[in-house]
Amino acid sequence: MALARINGALITDWASFHAQCQEALGFPEFYAGTMDAWVDCLSYLRDEDGMTQFHLKANETLEVIILDSDLMRQQVPDILDELSFCVIGINERYEDYGEKPALALVLL
């Protein structure tokens, strides 16, 4: 299983969220820093498109670990809610194509 750790203690707004994700997930330099771009980058983890540092095998899952998620829930609950919503949507997209979900969100 592939792992990406995001430091929730450093997330205080949308800009810091996207900066942390870009670093942890290896998004390209031209990453737009929006949730649409976030979803786009993580929708093709089993393709060799270079949108993340990860290239998953057919049944592999990327575990996205949010450290200090309790602090994030206190400071920026809307970001954590949107993140959860987007992970569900991305996994549904994979299932629509007959694939196993590719993301597991872990809140620590």
Side-chain angles (χ1 to χ4, degrees):
M1 178 179 302
L3 300 172
R5 289 178 181 83
I6 297 171
N7 188 345
L10 299 177
I11 297 173
T12 57
D13 57 17
W14 283 104
S16 58
F17 167 77
H18 288 292
Q20 288 295 308
C21 289
Q22 186 171 15
E23 182 179 327
L25 296 164
F27 292 159
E29 287 183 31
F30 59 86
Y31 172 65
T34 66
M35 285 311 287
D36 286 338
W38 194 91
V39 168
D40 288 346
C41 286
L42 294 173
S43 291
Y44 304 98
L45 288 166
R46 296 192 179 111
D47 299 334
E48 292 188 39
D49 67 356
M51 297 303 283
T52 75
Q53 66 185 350
F54 299 97
H55 179 229
L56 302 181
K57 296 176 183 153
N59 291 315
E60 191 176 12
T61 302
L62 172 60
E63 195 170 278
V64 179
I65 301 168
I66 307 295
L67 305 169
D68 293 313
S69 63
D70 287 341
L71 182 58
M72 209 175 145
R73 173 74 62 202
Q74 292 171 7
Q75 292 183 5
V76 287
D78 55 325
I79 294 175
L80 201 52
D81 290 344
E82 184 69 13
L83 173 62
S84 298
F85 177 78
C86 288
V87 166
I88 290 167
I90 290 168
N91 282 335
E92 287 175 351
R93 184 180 290 177
Y94 280 101
E95 289 176 331
D96 287 346
Y97 287 104
E99 296 182 40
K100 178 182 174 183
L103 296 173
L105 183 61
V106 178
L107 304 177
L108 297 179

